[in-house]
Amino acid sequence: MHPTDHSIPYSQKLSRLLPAQLGLIVVLLSLTGCGPFLNRFRSMGDRIIPRTALLASLGNSPNVIIDEVKHHHGIDFLNRVVRTIPSPSERTQLLLRKYDLARVYEQEPDEVIQWLEQLVQSSTSMEEVHALAELAELHANWSAEMGDLERANHLYSISLIHAYQFLFDGEFDINRNAYDPQFRSICDIYNRSLESILRTACQKEHIRPGETFSVGSAGNGIDFQIHIEGRWSNQKFEKFELVNDFEVSGLGNHYQTFGLGVPLIAVHNSAESESKQKDFYPPNLTLAMTAFAHLDLGTQGASAAGRTSAILKLYDPLEKTVITNGGKRVPLESDITTPMAYSLRNPLVNRDILATANLLDAEFAPELLGMFMIEPYDPDKIPVIMVHGLWSSPITWLRMFNDLRANRDLRNNYQFWFYAYPTGQPFWTSARQLREDLKQIKQELDPMGESVAFDQLVLVGHSMGGLVSLLQVTESNDDFWNIISQQPIEDLKGDPSAIQKLRDTFYFHPNPSIDRVITIATPFQGSEFANPATQWVSHRLFTLPSIAKQEFSEIAKSNRDIIHSDCLTTATSVDALAADNPFFKALARTSLPESVELHNIVGDIPARNLLGFENKNAKQGGDGIVSLLSSRYPNAVTQIAVSAEHQEVHQHPASIYEVSRILIQNLENRDRVRAREIPSDRPRVAPPITTDQRSYYLPPSGRSSSEKIYHR
C-alpha cells in the first residue's frame, strides 16, 4: 500500500525540490510587488496579487513547538552551596521534633532515614511511613542535584516503596483518608519517585518490555519486570521518554488526567512489530503510555531487608484510565497530547516540508502516502477518515484530532485514520486513489465483511479533500467521461492497463461502506483563486504522477480523434479547482445515495475586521478562498458557517464542536434505518443548530440579511 523507493534519498529529493520552492517564492514575491516581474503579471487579470498570496497561505499548519524541560528538583543556589537539603513539610517536621531528630536530620539525613526505616519495620504508622517517603525523596533530589545518581536512585526506591505502602498496605485501610492533604502528598511522592527512577532508566534504554531492570543497593532496592498491557502488548518500541521532560505550545488544548502513574511517550517500531496492521502505521508514530509500578511488599513488610519485586505495567490511557490494584480503584495519571505532538520534532513534518514536497512532486515520498492509522485496528469501532486539502498533509488535522480523541465516547466508538495524497494532482485522480486504497484496506482488515462498524465509515474532508471525499459516494454515470470524450471509453486504443486506470478515474459507484461525509470549506463550484496566474505557476512547478506523464500521454496521442481535453496530461490540482472547470457542472448533476448523509461546514469571515476596515476577501461572502456560494452544498443534512479563514476553518472550535456533535449523533442513530426517514422527493435539510452559538445555520437559499455569525 505504501511502496518504498529507496533508490533516491530524501536529501537528494529535497535538493531537487529547493529550486522549485525558490522559484515559487520568487513568483509570489513578484506578484506582491517585490521584483521586476510585477508588470508582466498585472496583465493576466485583476486581483492576481492577493489571490496568489492567499493561495500560498494554504500551506500553513499549526506551529507546534516541542521544548525539552530542565529539572532542578526545586533546590535553590544557596542549598547547593551550603550542601543542605530543603526542609520537609510541617507535618514531617512535627514528627522529627517528636523523636528529637530535627537537628540530626540537618546534619546527617542518612542516619535519620535509616532510623525511620527500622522504626516503621517494627511499629508501622501512617505518619511515620509518610515522613520516611518524603525525607527519602528530598534527600534523593539533593543527591541528584549533586551529581550522585546512584545514591539518588537508591533513595528514590526507598521513597517509592513507602509511598506504595501508604497507599496500598491493608493495615492502613481503616485510617487511610482520601480527604487528608497528606494523601495527595503521598500520591505526588509516589509519582515523582517513580518518574525519577524511570528518567534514568529511559536514558540508559533499560525500558524494554519483557525484560528486567534494577535500582537501589545490593541489599535494598527494587527489581522491575516490564510488561505492556492491552492492545500494544505484541508491539515493538524503539524507546521511551518521559512526558514531563517536554513542553508543548501552539497546539491549543492540552489533555491530561490525574491520578497515579507516570505518563510516557512510546516511540513505536513498526519495522519489528508483529502486527498485520503495521504497514498502516506512520513511520513517526508515537503513543501515550502510563507506567504504574505494582510492588510486592511480601509478608515481611515494606522495610524488610532484601530486594523488592515489582511489575512495571505500561497502560495505554486511551484504552484504560482506571485500574484495580490491591482491590482498590486507581485512576491513572495520563497525558495524551504531548506524546502525539512529540512526533512533530521531525522537521520534515512539522515545518510543512512534506506538504510542499507532495504538492510539487507527486512521487516525492510514496511510502508517506496512503491510509494511516495510529492505533491497532478494532473491528468494533467506526473508522473516521480525515482527508486533507491542497498544499497540506495529515498534520493539519492535529488540533481537531486532539480534541475529538479527548472525548471518551468518541474514542471508545471511533478509530481515526488519516489519508495522505499528492495534492498537486487533480482531485479526481486523488479520488480514484482513495477508492482503491479503501478497497485494499477492507480486503486486508475485514476480508470476510464481518465488521459492522467498517460498513459505517465516516469521511471528513477539508477544502479539496472534501471533493475527494464527495466522489466516494457519487455515481458517475457518463457525466465525467463525457468531459473527456463524447465517444465510449471502449473505443480507446492503447495500453489496456492505462485504459483501465482511465475507466477507474471517470467511472465509479458510491462506496456502500460509507455512511456519512463531513465537508469543510469545500469548493463545490470551484474557486476564483484558481486563475490563469496560479495555473501558470502550477504548470511550471508541479510534477504530476508518471501515469499522467507517460501512459495517459500515450493514450491521448493515440486517440486524438476521440479525446478532446488535455486534462489527462496537463491538468494540475489548481486547474481542477478553477470555477469554469466542467467537472463542477457534472458534479452538480449527481446526487447522493439515500443511505448517505452529508454535513457541511463553511467559512464566512466578517465583511469588516476588528479595526473596522473592510475585508476585501469577504465581499462576496466566504472564507477568503472559497466563496459562500461555492462552499454551500444544496442537499446537506446540516450546514453551518463559522467565522474563520479557509486554512483555519477545520481548526476553529466551532467546527470541531460540530464534527463532534455529528459523530455523537451518528452513534445515537447508527442502529436506525436513516435513509427511510427522509422522503427522496424532499430536500434533506435539518433545523438550525440551537445547542451552540458559535456558528450560524445556512438555509438552502443562502445567507439572508438577518442572519448573524455568533462569536465565542
Side-chain angles (χ1 to χ4, degrees), residues 23-34 49 52-53 55-56 391 537:
L24 178 61
I25 293 172
V26 169
V27 170
L28 295 177
L29 287 176
S30 69
L31 295 178
T32 54
C34 301
I49 295 173
T52 308
L55 184 64
W391 204 342
V537 172

Side-chain angles (χ1 to χ4, degrees), residues 176-206:
R176 192 178 291 110
N177 179 8
Y179 299 98
D180 188 338
Q182 196 177 59
F183 184 86
R184 181 64 252 182
S185 169
I186 205 69
C187 290
D188 292 337
I189 291 172
Y190 172 93
N191 288 349
R192 290 194 300 262
S193 297
L194 180 58
E195 178 183 304
S196 297
I197 291 171
L198 294 182
R199 179 170 290 109
T200 302
C202 288
Q203 292 170 352
K204 295 182 177 181
E205 297 186 354
H206 289 167

